[in-house]
Amino acid sequence: MASYDFLFNALGLRDWCDAGSSTAPMSMADLIGKTKGADAPAASFWDFPFPSMDALNHACGSFPQSRAVTKGLEDGFLSIKDGMSVVLDPITQPLSWFLEGALWLFATTPWWIMIPLMMLVVQLVARSVALTSFVGGCIALLAFIDYYEYAMQTLAIIFVCATICVVIGVPIGIAMSRSDKFQRIAIPILDMLQTLPTFVYLIPLIFLFSVTEPKLYGIAIILYAIVPVIRLTNLGIRLVDERVIEAADAFGMTSRQKLLRVQIPLALPNIMAGVNQTIMMSLAMVVIASLVSAPGLGVLVLRGIRNLELGVGLVAGLGIVLLAVILDRVTKAALARVNVAHQQ
Amino acid sequence: MSDEIKISIRNLYKIFGPEPEQALEHVRDDMDKTELLEAHGHVLGLKDISIDMLAGKITVIMGLSGSGKSTLIRHLNRLIEPTAGEVIVDGEDVLAYDETQLRELRREKMSMVFQHFALLPHRTVLENAATPLDVVGVPRSEWEDEARKWLERVGLEGQDNQHPHQLSGGMQQRVGIARALTSNSDIMLMDEAFSALDPLIRTDMQNLLLALQEELHKTIIFITHDLDEALKLADHLVILKDGMVIQQGEPQKILMHPNDPYITDFISDINRARVLRVRSVMEPESGPRSGLAGEVDLNENLETVIAMSGGDTNLSYRVTKEGEPVGILSVKKLVRALVPSAASDEGIRAKAS
C-alpha cells in the first residue's frame, strides 16, 4: 500500500491508475526495495512522504515519475536540436572563423614582432612606461618558461570574445537604457546568465555544435562574459545627469545626437568598467572552456588536474594570474584616463 | 519700443499624476492644491496661467520653490507637456507642433540657460558655447569664430580650451549664456540662471545680462525666487504662488500696490529706496513752481534723491523725463513711500474701494 492510494481512490481514478501501472519502468529505489525482499513495513505517520511525483507514482502507476521531467526536457531539446542547428550554425559560423583566424595570427606572428607590438598597444592605451615594461616583463617571463604559445592562444581567444562582447553588448545596453520594458525583460536573463554554473553552459552547446569547432567554446565564453558590459552600459547611460540631458533637449538635439554626443561620452567611464569586467570574465571562462577543447593555458591546468601534474597545473595557473593582472591593469589604466577627461 | 507680443500663454494648466485629464475637471471646479493631492493623488503644477510676454523685454517670473515657475518656463519649449491651454509664439501654437517643428523651435527660436549650467563636461568651453551651431550641423571651422565672439562678449577670453570643471560657477554660467547667445535666437529662457551663484557674482551677472539686453533686445523670460533680482531685471513681473499668477504687471506698480498679503510679505524685506523709482512716487504736474531744490530724472531711484536732499524732508524736486519737466517729487512723500506697511494698506484699500 502506498501512502497516496486514498487520494486517487477518492478522486475515482483507480481504474486509470491500474491501467498504466504495469508499463512503468522500475525506479532504482523500487529495485533496491525488491531485492531486499517484501514490502517495507507499514509506514508510520512520521515517515509520511511529500506528495512528490515519485510518491504519487507509487500509488498510481499512470502518474509520471520525476525522471520524466529531466527525460522530457532532454527529449524536447533533442527534438528541436536539429532545427536549432540549422539556424544557429550559419549564424555562429563567423565566430569560428574569427577564433581560428586570431589563433593563427597570434601563433604565426613571430615573438619578436608580437611582444613589442603588444607593448606598443599598452603604451598607447595606458600611457605609462612602468605598466608597459611590466607587461613586457610578464610576457617575456612566460615565454622564457616556454608558455608563450599557450599564453598567446589564451590571449587570442579573449581578444576575439571580448571584442564580440563589446560589439554586441554595448548596443544591447543602450537599448535597455532606452526602454524600461526591455530592461525588465533583460535583467532576469542577465541574472541567469551570470549565476548559471559555468559548466552548465557547455552541456547544451555540446549537443548543438561539434566539439571540434572553436565556436562552441566561443559561445560559452561570450554568453558568460557579455553580462557586465551590458549591465554597465545600461547603468552608465541611465546615470547621465538629467540636467545635461534636458539641456541637450532644449537645444534641439535629436535622440541620435543626444546618444552619440552626450549619453555615450558621459557613460564612457561606466562602459569601460564593464569592458574591464567582461575581459576578466572571459579569462575565467576560457580556462573552463578548455574542457571543450579551447586551447591555451587552460589546457595545461586541465592536464594538471587529470594527470595530477602538480607543477604544470600550478605554473599554468600562475600564468593565468599574470595574464589577468596584465589585462586588468591595462584596462584600468585606460579607464583612469577616461575618468580624468570626465571629471566634473 | 514696440509692444508686440512675442509669447502668449493662455489658460495653461499642468497637473502631475496618473490621470491629469480627470483631475483637471476638479481643478476647474476650483478645488485647491492640497485637496487635490489628498483626495485624488494629483499634484497641481499650474492653474489657469495667462501671460503676455512682450518682444524685446525681460519678463521675470517670480515665486518661491514649489510655486511652479520652473514648470512654467519648461512649457514654453515643451520640455514639459501641459495638461490644457495654449502657448503661442510668434502667432503659432507651439502645442500643435510635431516633433520636427518643435526641434526647429528649440534650435532656432528659443535658447535656454539653466540653474546648474548643464554644460557638457567632456567638451571644452568653446565646444560648449558652440553647441547650438554644432547641433544644426555647422562645421567646426565655421562655428569657431562665432562661438569665440560670444565667449568674448560674456567676458571669457582665452578660456576656449578649458573644460567646464576647471572654471568657477560664475564662469561656467557665462559659458551657459554664451551658448544661449550663439544660437542667435530671439527668445532666451533663463531658469534661475543666477540662483546658484554667490551674491557678488550674481550682481555681476545681472549687470552683464542688462548690458547684453541693451544691445541685443532679446525676449527674455527670467525665472527667479529672489525679489531684488526680479525688480532689478524685470520689465514685466509675474508673481506665482501655488501654481497661480497672483499679480502681474510693471514691477513699480506691484511694489506700490501689492494686491495680495503674500506679495506684501515678500516686498516688506527689500530695500525700497533702491528699488523704487522717482516716477512711482512723483505727482504729475508740469506747470511752473517755485522753491524747488533741483531736478531729478524720473528713472532715478529714491536712494539717489535721499542722498541729494541730504535728509531734508522739506525739499521738493522737479522730475524730468529726457529734460522735459513731468512732475514734482516731495521728499516727504518719498519718505512715506519707504514704509512698506503703509504702502500695502493703501494698495489693498485701493483695490477694495
Side-chain angles (χ1 to χ4, degrees), chain B residues 38-330:
Chain B
E38 279 170 5
H40 302 279
H42 282 69
V43 178
L44 178 57
L46 296 172
K47 182 179 177 184
D48 201 9
I49 307 275
S50 296
I51 306 172
D52 288 330
M53 300 169 179
L54 297 182
K57 298 287 174 89
I58 303 182
T59 302
V60 174
I61 297 167
M62 201 202 68
L64 297 180
S65 49
S67 62
K69 54 193 192 303
S70 288
T71 311
L72 177 57
I73 202 173
R74 279 167 176 70
H75 279 86
L76 297 177
N77 58 359
R78 271 176 70 192
L79 287 174
I80 297 178
E81 297 288 338
T83 310
E86 289 178 334
V87 176
I88 293 158
V89 178
D90 286 337
E92 288 185 47
D93 186 3
V94 171
L95 301 178
Y97 279 4
D98 63 20
E99 211 175 310
T100 324
Q101 288 171 306
L102 183 61
R103 205 178 299 131
E104 294 291 301
L105 173 87
R106 289 173 177 175
R107 286 177 173 186
E108 279 155 25
K109 274 198 191 156
M110 284 188 190
S111 52
M112 197 161 178
V113 182
F114 296 89
Q115 180 179 8
H116 297 287
F117 325 135
L119 302 173
L120 300 180
H122 60 294
R123 300 222 169 165
T124 64
V125 166
L126 186 69
E127 287 165 343
N128 265 294
T131 306
L133 297 176
D134 187 35
V135 167
V136 293
V138 176
R140 187 181 179 108
S141 54
E142 283 169 40
W143 58 242
E144 263 187 344
D145 287 338
E146 182 73 7
R148 201 168 284 129
K149 177 182 100 188
W150 288 115
L151 282 173
E152 276 167 23
R153 186 63 194 80
V154 299
L156 282 177
E157 298 89 355
Q159 314 273 4
D160 293 0
N161 293 319
Q162 304 267 58
H163 280 84
H165 67 91
Q166 293 165 303
L167 304 180
S168 67
M171 286 161 96
Q172 290 192 37
Q173 194 57 298
R174 282 170 198 263
V175 180
I177 292 175
R179 173 171 69 175
L181 292 172
T182 309
S183 79
N184 210 10
S185 58
D186 295 342
I187 303 169
M188 254 172 96
L189 309 177
M190 305 187 76
D191 178 24
E192 301 222 29
F194 305 148
S195 301
L197 306 175
D198 62 58
L200 275 180
I201 296 185
R202 197 185 304 169
T203 311
D204 278 353
M205 298 294 281
Q206 289 161 358
N207 294 336
L208 172 72
L209 182 68
L210 288 174
L212 285 167
Q213 177 63 356
E214 207 144 287
E215 204 179 297
L216 304 168
H217 301 296
K218 303 237 177 215
T219 306
I220 298 178
I221 322 302
F222 194 100
I223 300 280
T224 182
H225 59 249
D226 177 354
L227 187 62
D228 283 310
E229 183 168 74
L231 293 169
K232 182 170 178 181
L233 300 175
D235 294 314
H236 184 81
L237 179 60
V238 179
I239 297 180
L240 277 188
K241 182 194 174 193
D242 292 339
M244 284 181 282
V245 174
I246 355 180
Q247 192 171 7
Q248 58 176 319
E250 215 228 344
Q252 300 283 314
K253 255 182 216 148
I254 295 181
L255 215 52
M256 295 303 289
H257 306 290
N259 68 3
D260 189 285
Y262 176 76
I263 303 177
T264 316
D265 280 353
F266 241 131
I267 60 180
S268 60
D269 281 345
I270 58 162
N271 179 353
R272 297 170 66 85
R274 182 169 301 161
V275 176
L276 282 175
R277 310 266 161 190
V278 168
R279 65 184 141 96
S280 311
V281 220
M282 70 168 196
E283 287 152 280
E285 182 184 319
S286 49
R289 198 206 259 210
S290 58
L292 296 175
E295 290 191 348
V296 289
D297 189 83
L298 88 169
N299 280 324
E300 213 62 73
N301 66 21
L302 299 188
E303 215 170 41
T304 324
V305 182
I306 294 170
M308 271 167 73
S309 70
D312 187 344
T313 52
N314 291 318
L315 297 181
S316 287
Y317 289 88
R318 179 173 301 288
V319 181
T320 57
K321 181 186 183 186
E322 290 159 3
E324 295 293 308
V326 287
I328 299 290
L329 172 69
S330 79

Side-chain angles (χ1 to χ4, degrees), chain A residues 236-277:
Chain A
I237 291 182
R238 281 174 186 267
L239 285 182
V240 170
D241 191 346
E242 271 179 44
R243 296 176 299 204
V244 178
I245 299 289
E246 188 180 46
D249 280 330
F251 283 97
M253 283 198 193
T254 60
S255 52
R256 188 186 161 81
Q257 285 176 322
K258 225 165 39 182
L259 182 69
L260 294 179
R261 297 178 195 203
V262 182
Q263 289 173 312
I264 291 184
L266 293 186
L268 204 56
N270 272 315
I271 297 176
M272 288 295 288
V275 171
N276 169 277
Q277 287 300 300

